[in-house]
Amino acid sequence: MRFSRTLKALGFTVATALAPLMASGAQAAGTITVAVAIDPGSWDPIDTFLVDWSSAANNIYDGLTARGADMKLKPGLATSWEFLDNNSRIRFKLRQNVKFHNGEPFNAAAVKFTFDRLLGEEGKKGPQQSNYNTIDHVEVVDDSTVDFVMKQPDPVMLTKLAGYGAMIVPPKYIQEKGDDYFNTHPVGTGPFKFVEYNPKVSLTVEAFPEHWGGAPKLDRVVTRFISEANTQVAELQAGRIDVATLIPFGLAPTVEKSSSLDLISITGPTVVSLRLNTKNGITKDENVRKALIMGIDRDAIIKAVLLGHAKPIASFQSELSFGYDPNLKPMSFDLAKAKQLLQQAKVPAGAPVKIDFRGNDATFREVAQAAAGYLQALGLKPSLQPYEAPVLLNDIIPNGKTGEAWHQAWGGWTFDYDNTAYLMYHSGEKWNPYDNDPKLNEMLEKQRSIYDVKEREKILQEIARYVADKALEIPLYNQNTIYGVNKRVKNFDAPSDRRFRFVETTVE
């Protein structure tokens, strides 16, 4: 099978208009320049779920807990915590003598303000509130102690407090300046403080010497928004950026062979699947769904399209995820068995299989083309339907308007299968437009009430096996996190989830 290659020549994709402006950025003493794909548009923690937000804002803010590139949970703005009242209350002891970038003191009142805001009307406007709605309210015990009073147990809460919506924000600053101003002029307690934001162009932050963890070794971090992967590589090669987060698989060997660049390819959280319509079309039939899984050679796609920078998966999670079961193996490629299942299900030759996908994802377009080739070999009639990402994610999928299969990529930022499985498979959730399985609902709800690690892991693994047995999706691959990094960058601790924290990093 031949796979299309749509990569353009590098020289024709550079954003030349920006080159004079940025030419010296990556080379400035003590400055690191990082390229990400998307400008989030707001730097308020409650306004986004984008990884590219955290790639930059993780340097501006702190949470009560923290998680480094080693994936281990550790104290952040809270130095310790304990579970009280039969796990219905979590008490946090807060770090003292911490200041926000504007000089405002960090204290229990700031924590209460942050979560009152997140769980209130302002939080309703963004996508983060639902991650924290197991919290009923926050009580101030004293200036350095707060209690989280829980509506129900939440075994993932401590991890959630290390990211995104739970980042602690300054009450006085927001009350005086307003939410709109805060969106574009963020203030936190992190190791870097805001300097300048040019929408669609860049965000600049500088070292905050008074950070409670010590001053970072860099002077500045410049985050540039470059949506084209080829352009990121060209800027990396030209020395105008130090870290590229979009490396087309076809160009990975080019970066790897460069004398001035390093290619870093590590297991990441991102998994990719073709979710299946279990309500309409031929994919209503469980055996047909299994035939589609068997009929696509995922190992061949990983080798030919992703050039080996991925691993096959049996469930919609990476090996880094809590709940991963190493004993659950992917269904093997078996064209003859797949054809037999289709015949037994009396699927007519030429039956349609429409694949909906994000049209801006050039890599997945190739994956979809390859998958379509295999489906055609099964005697089916596949078709590819690209959509703008917001249309697919906010209309087609949640409103149950998909074809037989649709593209789902998921990062699982908590590295806990709950964050994936509940949102994908529980009835009524945005990403589950078709199923209402009482047994699956019960398992998903049960594990959310359990703090015992081993018991909860057992249930999560049972959920993964159940979903695999029902063939609710075609698990394709766990995609590596790939960086291109200039060799002048030292002590770069590459995070698998792209949540950079440039405290120890230096440049030469």
Side-chain angles (χ1 to χ4, degrees), residues 33-324:
T33 302
V34 181
V36 300
I38 299 171
D39 176 359
S42 169
W43 297 102
D44 187 332
I46 65 178
D47 282 348
T48 187
F49 57 84
L50 294 171
V51 172
D52 288 345
W53 180 91
S54 199
S55 294
N58 199 40
N59 290 291
I60 298 174
Y61 297 106
D62 292 311
L64 294 179
T65 62
R67 190 181 66 199
D70 62 2
M71 304 300 298
K72 293 179 181 177
L73 201 65
K74 57 187 178 182
L77 290 175
T79 56
S80 64
W81 48 85
E82 60 178 328
F83 291 84
L84 305 172
D85 301 344
N86 196 28
N87 296 328
S88 65
R89 184 182 295 263
I90 312 174
R91 176 161 292 176
F92 294 91
K93 289 292 182 181
L94 305 181
R95 199 174 294 277
Q96 298 186 45
N97 303 314
V98 174
K99 291 194 299 185
F100 287 97
H101 302 147
N102 65 335
E104 192 174 331
F106 162 75
N107 51 29
V111 177
K112 179 172 173 54
F113 173 85
T114 295
F115 285 91
D116 285 352
R117 183 172 178 264
L118 171 61
L119 299 172
E121 291 304 311
E122 189 63 27
K124 280 184 182 177
K125 301 175 186 176
Q128 283 296 330
Q129 189 179 88
S130 63
N131 283 322
Y132 303 91
N133 59 16
T134 53
I135 303 168
D136 186 77
H137 64 281
V138 173
E139 292 179 358
V140 173
V141 178
D142 58 44
D143 205 42
S144 59
T145 311
V146 294
D147 283 356
F148 279 39
V149 180
M150 306 298 290
K151 293 178 184 175
Q152 63 191 66
D154 188 341
V156 195
M157 180 52 65
L158 292 177
T159 301
K160 292 175 184 175
L161 295 180
Y164 295 90
M167 299 290 94
I168 305 301
V169 299
K172 186 178 177 183
Y173 180 80
I174 293 176
Q175 288 165 343
E176 289 181 352
K177 299 289 188 179
D179 293 310
D180 290 344
Y181 187 84
F182 180 60
N183 288 348
T184 55
H185 298 76
V187 167
T189 63
F192 291 87
K193 63 181 181 179
F194 170 80
V195 174
E196 184 180 33
Y197 171 49
N198 294 306
K200 308 298 183 185
V201 179
S202 65
L203 173 79
T204 302
V205 297
E206 67 182 13
F208 181 53
E210 298 168 81
H211 186 250
W212 55 267
K217 295 187 167 112
L218 286 168
D219 297 323
R220 287 192 167 204
V221 179
V222 177
T223 302
R224 288 180 57 190
F225 311 116
I226 303 175
S227 59
E228 287 289 335
N230 292 351
T231 305
Q232 282 202 22
V233 174
E235 294 290 88
L236 182 69
Q237 289 177 315
R240 287 187 285 266
I241 63 172
D242 295 305
V243 180
T245 56
L246 284 180
I247 304 292
F249 294 104
L251 290 178
T254 302
V255 174
E256 196 167 22
K257 291 173 185 174
S258 170
S259 61
S260 63
L261 305 175
D262 286 322
L263 181 78
I264 300 174
S265 181
I266 55 177
T267 298
T270 301
V271 284
V272 179
S273 75
L274 283 172
R275 304 287 306 286
L276 296 171
N277 184 336
T278 57
K279 190 175 183 179
N280 307 303
I282 63 171
T283 47
K284 283 172 59 178
D285 189 312
E286 181 181 308
N287 284 326
V288 170
R289 299 196 298 269
K290 288 180 177 177
L292 299 189
I293 298 172
M294 287 182 199
I296 296 175
D297 191 342
R298 287 154 286 164
D299 287 326
I301 291 175
I302 289 169
K303 183 178 180 181
V305 180
L306 309 179
L307 301 185
H309 293 285
K311 300 180 182 72
I313 53 174
S315 61
F316 202 38
Q317 59 184 320
S318 84
E319 63 188 42
L320 301 175
S321 166
F322 179 77
Y324 175 79

Side-chain angles (χ1 to χ4, degrees), residues 380-409:
L380 303 171
K381 187 178 181 181
S383 61
L384 304 182
Q385 177 61 60
Y387 287 97
E388 291 291 327
V391 175
L392 180 65
L393 300 179
N394 297 319
D395 178 22
I396 302 301
I397 296 172
N399 290 316
K401 294 155 62 174
T402 73
E404 284 70 27
W406 74 89
H407 171 205
Q408 187 93 50

Side-chain angles (χ1 to χ4, degrees), residues 290 293-294 298-299 311-317 319 323-333 461 464-469 471 473-476:
K290 288 180 177 177
I293 298 172
M294 287 182 199
R298 287 154 286 164
D299 287 326
K311 300 180 182 72
I313 53 174
S315 61
F316 202 38
Q317 59 184 320
E319 63 188 42
Y324 175 79
D325 184 356
N327 296 316
L328 182 61
K329 302 300 181 184
M331 200 176 291
S332 299
F333 172 61
Q461 291 178 343
R465 289 192 294 272
Y466 185 87
V467 169
D469 187 58
E473 64 214 352
I474 303 173
L476 292 174

